[in-house]
Structures are given as structure tokens and as C-alpha cells.
Amino acid sequence: MSDAVQTQSTPNAAFTPRVFSGIQPSGNLHLGNYLGALKRFADAQEQGIESIYCMVDLHAITVWQDPADLARATRELCAGFIAAGVDPEKSILFNQSQVPEHTQMAWIFNCVARMGWMQRMTQFKDKADKNAQNASLGLFAYPALMAADILVYHATHVPVGEDQKQHLELTRDIATKFNHDYGVDFFPITEPVIEGAATRVMSFRDGTKKMSKSDPSDMSRINLTDDADAIAKKIRKAKTDPDPLPDSLEGLRDRPEAMNLVNIYAALADLTPEQVIAEHAGQQFGTFKPSLADLAVAKLSPISTEMSRLMQDQGEIDRILGRGAERAREIATPILHKTYDIVGMIRS
Ligand code: ATP
Ligand code: MG
């Protein structure tokens, strides 16, 4: 009896804690990816939980990618992970297409997920824009592949930015429906981990849109490959309002651009937004922006320098990805096989 209660209140108690997260190698790795994902992966590494980080190249091609650019962006992303502090010995780092179990599991999930669920995904609506009939089938099916990325490792925790919340809910729905339809407790109900001061870094051009790799305006984001001058210029030109910083967080309500810069400062400095406001209350952006630029340059320059150093040894990056893929497959293969057994696929 007490076991049953425990299973109900902590559905993942039977699963070993395991972290999974992915980033698309769609170029232009940016400050939002760093604060919402990479920095948090590096910070979490010391917790001693097995962590699997994936360059999701199969997601990237849901919109057309030039092949040479895709290969380069995948290696650059791997360099970005390492430069941000993710250790390929402690964590498993690889690119998705080298582990075929992701797409094999995705097919099973395509048959579990319902059309109505997929049609509610706001990211598809945003990315397909007004041209949904001309979007790829892959862009529509992407969240089922993402569920497979996570569940093929029985991952219990997924650190992501706020924009991925809906996809994580879909992952939980798919796990729940699979478990229910087959009468098993096989997949964990994964917890999204959306934490920190900058879970949603906004565009520098428009405080209501998230900073994105795929935004056509380079001024909308700080790329991790930007040099000190570019970083300072982009912050100086970031859209703001004419008022000084208020003396409480309350005063940032309805000021999305100002709020964004305060949140970025807080996340880079490992402070809370309240602490940043306490330190900078009453400042004009003419004063606050240069402080933010100095901080951003101090934190990001070592990363971009390390990324370009790592990029000079392509062979080493490819070896890291290959070794990571082998380690990933050791976990994924038995889980996929068990899934096939549950579903009734013959494996001889
Ligand atoms: P794309 O525009 O190609 O979708 P993206 O910038 O959204 O690129 P993703 O590869 O889709 O980047 O996301 C990688 C990780 O970065 C995810 O965990 C996502 O939640 C996080 N992330 C993306 N954009 C932001 C942002 N603006 N603020 C905080 N986290 C973000
Ligand atoms: Mg995205």
C-alpha cells in the first residue's frame, strides 16, 4: 500500500536519475542558448548525475541546411559545449544521427502521439508561420522525435529554456499514453528543469520575441563567436526605453526590454534580478549598458577563444562525438529493444 502511494506521488522513483538535453546545430549559437542551456549543463555537472547532451542534427534539417554549414555548425556546437565547461569525459556528448535508436523510437512515438496534440504545438505555428502547407513533415513531427531523444535514455530530468516547456509536456503525454496503452510502467514521466534568471532571453530588437539562432537579424542576438567589439555594439544598440532602472523588480513590469537586460546581467553574474536592481537602481541605460557589456565580454570572450582553438582540431571533435555516440548507444539500445518487445516486434 505505501509502495503504491509512493509510486503515485513520485512516478520516477523506480528510475535512476538521468539528465538529457539537446541543442540544434543550426548555426549562430547565442547568449540564450548559453544562459538557458549550456551554462546550466556545466553548473549541474558536479551533481554526479549521468548526463547526456546531444547535438540534434536531425532536428536541424527540419528546415533546409546547407550540408557543409550543417557539418561545421555541429562541430562548432560541440566546441561550444566543451568551451562552456561541459567535460566530454564526465558527460556524454554526441550528435543525434550517430545513434539510430533516436529515429527508431521516434517512429513508435509517431504512432502514440495524436494529431490533435501535435497541432497545438506553438513552435510549429511560429516556425511554419503563414506557410504551414509548405513546411516539412519533419518540422511538424519534431516534438515526437524530441520525446524519443529523451525517453530512449529513460531520462528523468531535462534542463531547457522556457520555450521548450510545451514540448516537454508532450513528452510526458507520450510516455503516459504509451505506459497506459501497453499496461506497463516503462517510461519515466520526465521533469522539465527550467531554472535561473534567464530561462527566456529575449531578442535585442524586440523584447517580446525570444533570442533565436534562426532570427534573420544578427543584431537581435549575441553569438558565442562574437568578438568584444561586436558584443559591446549589440548591447549598446539593444532596444530599450527612455526610463532609468527602477528600484524594485515590480517597476520592470511592462518593460520587457529593460527586464531582459537585467535578467541577462543577473544570469551572467550569478546574481538574482533583485540583487541587480538593488545595485543599479536609478541608473540610465547609458550607464547600465556599458557595465553589462563589460560583464558579457568578461564571461563570453574566454568561451569564444576556446571554441576557435577547439575548432582547429576537427579530428579530435569527431573522435569525441564518435566516442560519445558509442556510450549513448550502450544505454539506448537495450531500452529500444525492450520497447520493441513491449510493442510486439519480433527480434530474432
Ligand atoms: P532555433 O531558432 O534554430 O530553434 P534556438 O535558438 O531556439 O534555435 P535550440 O537549439 O532550439 O535553439 O534550443 C537549444 C536550447 O537553448 C534549448 O534548451 C532551448 O530551450 C534553449 N534556448 C533557446 N533559445 C533560448 C532563449 N532565448 N533563452 C533561453 N534559452 C533558450
Ligand atoms: Mg529552438
Side-chain angles (χ1 to χ4, degrees):
M1 164 93 194
S2 66
D3 272 352
V5 171
Q6 211 188 11
T7 313
Q8 251 188 358
S9 59
T10 52
N12 294 327
F15 295 90
T16 313
R18 190 177 280 147
V19 168
F20 175 91
S21 199
I23 300 187
Q24 298 189 60
S26 39
N28 306 325
L29 198 58
H30 56 79
L31 181 66
N33 300 137
Y34 176 63
L35 295 176
L38 290 171
K39 179 175 189 292
R40 294 174 48 222
F41 303 163
D43 291 347
Q45 203 163 236
E46 305 314 319
Q47 291 172 359
I49 299 176
E50 184 169 43
S51 301
I52 304 170
Y53 297 119
C54 186
M55 280 120 260
V56 287
D57 46 11
L58 296 166
H59 285 286
I61 60 164
T62 53
V63 293
W64 194 82
Q65 305 286 330
D66 175 83
D69 289 349
L70 178 64
R72 186 190 151 78
T74 305
R75 295 191 178 105
E76 192 170 82
L77 177 53
C78 182
F81 270 93
I82 298 169
V86 177
D87 178 344
E89 296 297 322
K90 287 189 191 156
S91 302
I92 298 178
L93 267 189
F94 69 104
N95 59 310
Q96 188 184 25
S97 58
Q98 293 208 70
V99 179
E101 285 78 4
H102 289 238
T103 39
Q104 290 174 287
M105 188 67 98
W107 182 259
I108 304 279
F109 289 170
N110 283 345
C111 302
V112 173
R114 304 289 93 184
M115 287 296 286
W117 300 0
M118 307 304 280
Q119 278 159 350
R120 282 196 287 276
M121 294 296 114
T122 54
Q123 190 178 93
F124 176 77
K125 292 183 207 163
D126 291 347
K127 285 201 173 179
D129 205 20
K130 292 178 190 68
N131 210 2
Q133 290 302 309
N134 203 31
S136 71
L137 177 56
L139 189 65
F140 185 70
Y142 162 123
L145 176 58
M146 178 166 159
D149 300 335
I150 294 165
L151 294 173
V152 81
Y153 300 102
H154 277 185
T156 54
H157 295 86
V158 179
V160 277
E162 176 76 34
D163 59 307
Q164 291 300 326
K165 198 170 171 200
Q166 197 187 31
H167 292 161
L168 261 301
E169 275 157 18
L170 184 94
T171 301
R172 293 161 66 93
D173 289 344
I174 288 177
T176 305
K177 182 163 165 55
F178 182 97
N179 287 346
H180 175 266
D181 288 357
Y182 291 99
V184 289
D185 260 328
F186 185 61
F187 287 116
I189 309 304
T190 306
E191 297 288 339
V193 187
I194 301 171
E195 288 172 346
T199 53
R200 189 171 172 83
V201 175
M202 307 311 278
S203 156
F204 281 176
R205 305 268 80 191
D206 176 351
T208 64
K209 263 176 46 187
K210 86 169 189 79
M211 189 176 280
S212 262
K213 295 197 210 86
S214 48
D215 192 316
S217 164
D218 194 58
M219 291 300 284
S220 71
R221 67 180 159 260
I222 293 181
N223 302 305
L224 291 192
T225 49
D226 282 343
D227 63 20
D229 287 347
I231 294 173
K233 179 173 164 209
K234 287 176 178 181
I235 291 177
R236 196 171 62 243
K237 298 213 161 203
K239 187 176 164 203
T240 37
D241 56 47
D243 296 336
L245 283 177
D247 54 15
S248 78
L249 266 193
E250 189 57 19
L252 286 177
R253 225 197 311 173
D254 304 323
R255 295 178 63 188
E257 286 88 6
M259 176 77 139
N260 189 36
L261 297 187
V262 168
N263 285 344
I264 291 171
Y265 193 107
L268 283 171
D270 287 313
L271 296 171
T272 62
E274 288 84 352
Q275 288 170 314
V276 176
I277 285 290
E279 250 178 58
H280 298 271
Q283 275 184 4
Q284 296 290 342
F285 282 104
T287 312
F288 183 68
K289 280 179 166 180
S291 307
L292 177 59
D294 288 347
L295 175 64
V297 168
K299 297 284 180 181
L300 301 180
S301 291
I303 298 176
S304 75
T305 308
E306 181 62 0
M307 276 173 78
S308 31
R309 191 188 70 76
L310 290 164
M311 280 298 276
Q312 277 160 21
D313 192 350
Q314 202 170 295
E316 177 58 13
I317 290 185
D318 292 4
R319 268 190 298 281
I320 289 170
L321 293 174
R323 173 76 192 116
E326 275 170 27
R327 291 168 65 199
R329 289 196 83 179
E330 280 167 22
I331 304 171
T333 307
I335 294 176
L336 180 78
H337 285 171
K338 187 76 207 305
T339 310
Y340 277 181
D341 292 345
I342 291 170
V343 171
M345 305 283 174
I346 291 172
R347 292 189 296 114
S348 20

